[in-house]
Amino acid sequence: MAMLIREHFPELLRWDLRILATDISSSALAKAESGRYGQLEVNRGLPAQLLLRYFRRVGAQWELDPEVRRMVRFQRHNLVGAWPPFPAFDLVFLRNVLIYFELETKRAVLARVRSVMRPDGYLLLGGAETTLNIDDGFERVPIGRTTWYRPRPGSG
């Protein structure tokens, strides 16, 4: 996300922009925070021009530019456990997470996500995930080939 913002929305770099990356796995967070990736990892969907622009080769690994890394704060978080106070989010990316939960857990997680979103915010789920028949507090918003979800007015 930080690279895409730099590429397509550089005017946002003057804003009070914060990206929060969470995971339940401390080791996954440490890996992401290090900004170091192997060749196989950078070959999984990262366009070559972004690799060349934002990474430098360090031995057998690729290291992400420190300016890009500074745009992201990493925090351990269990979606099922207690939630710390979060600021209101404009965008929430909850991709390929809900597929692992039972229906009631999905409902609880989506309700919590909705409670920390701005009323005009957007939620992006994985391709096999939806809020339909799970949480009617979201409305489906197709944008191009992607489906986003917005909190319904009065549902937050």
Side-chain angles (χ1 to χ4, degrees), residues 5 10 17 25 28 35 69 79 102 107-108 115 120 136 144 147-148:
I5 288 167
L17 177 73
S25 167
R69 285 198 338 247
L79 293 171
E102 298 294 325
R107 285 186 174 136
S115 76
D120 59 347
D136 62 2
T147 297
W148 293 79

Side-chain angles (χ1 to χ4, degrees), residues 50-63:
L50 293 182
L51 175 65
L52 297 174
R53 188 170 295 133
Y54 294 109
F55 288 81
R56 71 180 178 95
R57 192 79 138 133
V58 178
Q61 294 194 313
W62 290 91
E63 184 177 74

Side-chain angles (χ1 to χ4, degrees), residues 13-141:
L13 296 174
R14 294 187 298 273
W15 292 20
D16 181 19
L17 177 73
R18 291 179 239 160
I19 300 171
L20 174 64
T22 67
D23 201 293
I24 193 170
S25 167
S26 297
S27 61
L29 286 168
K31 170 88 171 147
E33 194 167 13
S34 78
R36 287 195 169 205
Y37 303 93
Q39 191 66 49
L40 183 63
E41 293 166 312
V42 297
N43 285 347
R44 293 181 57 208
L46 179 65
Q49 74 267 20
L50 293 182
L51 175 65
L52 297 174
R53 188 170 295 133
Y54 294 109
F55 288 81
R56 71 180 178 95
R57 192 79 138 133
V58 178
Q61 294 194 313
W62 290 91
E63 184 177 74
L64 183 59
D65 181 301
E67 288 295 315
V68 176
R69 285 198 338 247
R70 277 193 281 278
M71 292 176 68
V72 182
R73 183 172 59 99
F74 297 87
Q75 179 177 320
R76 187 172 185 282
H77 178 58
N78 181 351
L79 293 171
V80 178
W83 284 36
F86 282 123
F89 291 107
D90 295 298
L91 295 171
V92 175
F93 295 86
L94 191 66
R95 297 183 42 79
N96 304 320
V97 173
L98 294 178
I99 57 175
Y100 298 105
F101 297 141
E102 298 294 325
L103 180 60
E104 287 308 311
T105 303
K106 289 177 186 181
R107 285 186 174 136
V109 168
L110 286 170
R112 285 178 168 169
V113 166
R114 197 167 16 85
S115 76
V116 297
M117 288 179 67
R118 291 190 185 279
D120 59 347
Y122 285 92
L123 167 66
L124 181 65
L125 300 174
E129 298 169 317
T130 183
T131 64
L132 300 174
N133 299 318
I134 300 171
D135 186 325
D136 62 2
F138 286 97
E139 62 183 338
R140 185 176 180 272
V141 181

